[in-house]
Amino acid sequence: MSRALTFQRNIVPLADRKRYLERLTTRRDYFRGAACRFWTFEETDLTGAFLEFIESDSEQSLAAAIASAPDQYVDGARIYREVELD
């Protein structure tokens, strides 16, 4: 069974940064509780440009976690499956 991943790019104005980081903590906690892994990266040369990654062990569990998320911000139709390389 291959892993599944989705991601979201966000540009956050400096004035909204603190609130955004608080929401990220809530999102991370939710997805961890839904057996997913959650990472956030900020572009080094563009403060406020964030990428959020959510990964799970299956497409089904990732889709279910996204569908049940209290903050619907990720497109559940855009799930990427890990490609096994030889």
Side-chain angles (χ1 to χ4, degrees), residues 31-86:
F31 283 107
R32 283 183 178 173
C36 296
R37 290 164 293 281
F38 183 91
W39 298 282
T40 304
F41 295 85
E42 185 174 20
E43 190 171 331
T44 57
D45 292 330
L46 182 58
T47 300
F50 290 91
L51 285 174
E52 300 173 35
F53 294 92
I54 307 162
E55 180 194 24
S56 185
D57 292 332
S58 73
E59 293 175 56
Q60 296 80 11
S61 62
L62 181 57
I66 291 169
S68 298
D71 184 2
Q72 289 286 338
Y73 68 98
V74 174
D75 183 357
R78 299 194 73 101
I79 293 178
Y80 297 81
R81 181 181 330 112
E82 181 180 22
V83 176
E84 300 291 334
L85 302 174
D86 296 331

